[in-house]
């Protein structure tokens, strides 16, 4: 018998009708002779609503209590899903993250999975039952309830698939797969049939929002094939798999964009060894997630350092960078929220030179100024003005032949 893990996101379980539709699909999968483990997210925007409630109630929000609150969303989903499955003639049993044996570290609101003790799930499967697990949550080594960070249900599903040795992890969502660009920006974007883990990682990291980044890392490290597909049409979607040496890779697979970062510039930094180290250590100590970094050629013994951070980290970053700037006599620290990143991702870039050149030419022809550049083996990213980013994505999608026939 084949074991599959099926994860259903918030929109897939958004209301009673959706939940019944999912239960029917799970029942169908079982009748086809498969074993199924179901992982559910909170219904619709429940997690956002709970966060708003916490904001209304409290300025302090002890992280332990915030986690306790947020895990309630997935608890509702798992219980009603089991009820709907019972109506569909399936013997289902719900498990919280803790009951499912998902052991995490103690970092509340962004805990990491340390171990999965799946024995209760295995036992349920052996008894012919369908385990329905609350996503996004676990229990810490200090025996407190934790959450895995926003979008964490994907990670729960992949971790369970790895621990139980599932054939595949199906991620059901409200889109039909991973696309060559955001279809809201590029209507002619194509659904990708098959991607490597590395490509999916770079797509997720550079703005493609279909899968949580950590779940892709987990899938790559544990060799879990992912199938991203729609719970509205049930058609086959996008497979994310190990790269095969024989695969003929497209030079550019996808154009992604991200408007969630801001650019910080510290100007007039004395050009001495160790100052960048101090700045970025101070930011790291505040858990600021620095992305791109550019340091200018020094002039008159000082230099400018620019870097990008998530917009949500701007207040902390400004405070930290300004304190640092005052200490070392830097000129000023400014934040610029009007930027966006546009990226090209493709495994074929490894063996095809000239991708960056074509990218820069395309942006130049569209009259779009490039403010920062970074590259990895299979990705090129440019920072541009936020109000130009959609035009940039469209121009690049066409220039790299992704518009399709
Ligand atoms: N419900 C959580 C969130 O909205 C986890 C998830 O959906 O994956 O972030
Ligand atoms: Mg979600």
């Amino acid at each position: 018998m084949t074991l599959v893990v099926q994860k259903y996101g918030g929109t897939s379980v958004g209301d009673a009708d959706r939940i019944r539709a999912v239960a029917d699909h799970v029942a169908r999968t079982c009748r086809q002779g498969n074993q199924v483990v179901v992982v559910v997210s909170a219904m619709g925007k429940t997690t956002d609503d709970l966060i708003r409630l916490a904001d209304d109630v409290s300025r302090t929000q002890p992280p332990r209590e915030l986690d306790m609150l947020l895990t309630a969303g997935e608890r509702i989903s798992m219980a009603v899903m089991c009820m709907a499955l019972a109506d569909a003639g399936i013997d289902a049993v719900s498990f919280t993250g803790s009951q499912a044996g998902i052991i995490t570290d103690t970092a509340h609101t962004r805990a990491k999975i340390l171990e999965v003790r799946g024995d209760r799930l295995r036992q349920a499967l052996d008894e012919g039952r369908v385990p329905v697990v609350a996503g996004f949550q676990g229990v810490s080594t200090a025996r407190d309830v934790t959450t895995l960070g926003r979008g964490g249900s994907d990670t729960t599903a992949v971790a369970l698939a790895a621990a139980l040795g599932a054939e595949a992890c199906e991620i059901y969502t409200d889109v039909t797969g991973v696309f060559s660009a955001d279809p809201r920006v590029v209507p002619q974007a194509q659904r990708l049939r098959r991607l490597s883990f590395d490509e999916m990682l770079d797509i997720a990291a550079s703005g493609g929002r279909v899968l949580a980044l950590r779940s892709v890392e987990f899938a790559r490290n544990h060799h879990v094939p992912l199938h991203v597909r729609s719970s509205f049409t049930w058609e086959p979607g996008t497979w994310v798999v190990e790269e095969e040496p024989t695969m003929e890779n497209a030079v550019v697979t996808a154009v992604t964009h991200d408007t969630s970062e801001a650019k910080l510039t510290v100007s007039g930094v004395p050009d001495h060894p160790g100052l960048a180290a101090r700045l970025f250590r101070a930011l790291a100590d505040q858990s600021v997630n620095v992305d791109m970094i550019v340091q200018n050629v020094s002039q008159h013994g000082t230099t400018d350092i620019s870097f990008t951070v998530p917009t949500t980290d701007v207040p902390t970053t400004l405070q930290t960078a300004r304190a640092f700037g005052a200490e070392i006599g830097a000129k000023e620290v400014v934040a610029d929220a009007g930027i966006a990143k546009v990226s090209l991702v493709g495994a074929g870039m490894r063996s095809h030179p000239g991708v960056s050149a074509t990218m820069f030419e395309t942006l130049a022809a569209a009259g779009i100024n490039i403010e920062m550049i970074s590259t990895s083996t299979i990705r090129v990213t440019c920072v541009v003005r936020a109000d130009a980013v959609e035009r940039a994505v469209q121009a690049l999608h066409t220039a790299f032949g992704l518009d399709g026939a």
Side-chain angles (χ1 to χ4, degrees):
M1 240 197 287
T2 305
L3 173 65
V4 289
V5 173
Q6 297 187 333
K7 180 260 170 176
Y8 294 95
T11 49
S12 300
V13 294
D15 58 32
D17 286 343
R18 298 300 318 148
I19 288 170
R20 279 194 299 266
V22 167
D24 286 343
H25 184 70
V26 172
R28 210 154 46 231
T29 313
C30 293
R31 270 183 227 115
Q32 285 160 358
N34 302 289
Q35 282 185 315
V36 185
V37 173
V38 177
V39 175
V40 284
S41 286
M43 292 173 65
K45 299 254 169 269
T46 302
T47 308
D48 294 325
D49 295 342
L50 293 173
I51 289 172
R52 215 167 301 120
L53 174 62
D55 288 344
D56 289 346
V57 167
S58 163
R59 271 173 289 109
T60 14
Q61 299 182 12
R64 180 187 184 278
E65 306 311 327
L66 186 59
D67 273 354
M68 195 61 98
L69 174 69
L70 295 189
T71 54
E74 272 72 10
R75 246 179 203 257
I76 293 171
S77 296
M78 70 176 189
V80 291
M81 182 59 70
C82 284
M83 294 179 192
L85 281 165
D87 282 19
I90 297 291
D91 186 7
V93 52
S94 64
F95 295 99
T96 63
S98 168
Q99 289 175 318
I102 295 172
I103 315 296
T104 73
D105 63 16
T106 55
H108 281 289
T109 74
R110 54 191 158 84
K112 288 210 165 62
I113 297 176
L114 300 176
E115 192 193 337
V116 178
R117 300 185 192 141
D119 29 297
R120 286 192 74 176
L121 303 185
R122 271 188 216 99
Q123 194 188 332
L125 288 167
D126 288 346
E127 292 164 5
R129 310 174 87 187
V130 172
V132 177
V133 181
F136 170 61
Q137 55 180 272
V139 62
S140 76
T141 46
R143 287 185 290 159
D144 282 317
V145 168
T146 51
T147 63
L148 309 177
R150 295 306 305 270
S153 296
D154 292 347
T155 311
T156 303
V158 175
L160 289 178
L164 300 170
E167 191 95 334
C169 182
E170 298 184 325
I171 307 277
Y172 287 93
T173 176
D174 53 0
V175 292
T176 55
V178 182
F179 281 75
S180 56
D182 185 337
R184 282 167 302 190
V185 174
V186 182
Q188 68 276 28
Q190 309 282 316
R191 180 168 69 218
L192 305 166
R193 304 248 155 253
R194 204 182 166 82
L195 282 171
S196 69
F197 287 124
D198 286 343
E199 286 176 314
M200 191 64 232
L201 268 182
D202 266 309
I203 289 172
S206 63
R209 260 173 240 307
V210 193
L211 286 174
L213 181 59
R214 267 174 56 196
S215 72
V216 187
E217 277 170 349
F218 211 104
R220 180 184 62 175
N221 296 344
H222 295 85
H223 316 284
V224 178
L226 302 177
H227 187 184
V228 182
R229 53 191 300 194
S230 163
S231 67
F232 291 76
T233 66
W234 306 106
E235 68 197 287
T238 301
W239 279 93
V240 186
V241 295
E242 216 101 34
E243 197 170 325
E244 293 159 24
T246 53
M247 227 156 52
E248 179 60 59
N249 290 311
V251 179
V252 172
T253 304
V255 184
T256 56
H257 70 288
D258 185 355
T259 54
S260 70
E261 293 193 357
K263 181 171 82 169
L264 276 285
T265 301
V266 186
S267 56
V269 178
D271 202 6
H272 298 152
L275 290 190
R278 270 171 59 192
L279 170 62
F280 290 105
R281 168 54 59 202
L283 292 171
D285 288 345
Q286 298 294 321
S287 298
V288 172
N289 220 331
V290 176
D291 181 22
M292 295 167 82
I293 304 175
V294 171
Q295 177 173 326
N296 287 347
V297 176
S298 102
Q299 272 183 330
H300 317 297
T302 67
T303 182
D304 298 346
I305 300 177
S306 294
F307 53 95
T308 64
V309 298
T311 313
T312 45
D313 285 349
V314 167
T316 317
T317 308
L318 269 179
Q319 206 179 14
T320 309
R322 285 199 169 128
F324 164 82
E327 243 174 70
I328 61 155
K331 198 166 130 244
E332 60 172 355
V333 182
V334 290
D336 175 359
I339 60 139
K341 297 191 303 181
V342 55
S343 304
L344 303 178
V345 178
M349 266 183 222
R350 288 197 198 98
S351 48
H352 285 81
V355 172
S356 302
T358 306
M359 181 180 197
F360 305 156
E361 284 160 5
T362 306
L363 294 176
I368 295 169
N369 189 45
I370 301 171
E371 301 186 21
M372 296 168 98
I373 300 165
S374 81
T375 65
S376 77
T377 44
I378 65 163
R379 180 182 49 78
V380 189
T381 300
C382 293
V383 169
V384 300
R385 285 288 99 201
D387 57 16
V389 76
E390 297 200 351
R391 274 198 307 123
V393 174
Q394 288 153 358
L396 292 165
H397 199 268
T398 303
F400 284 91
L402 299 174
D403 288 350

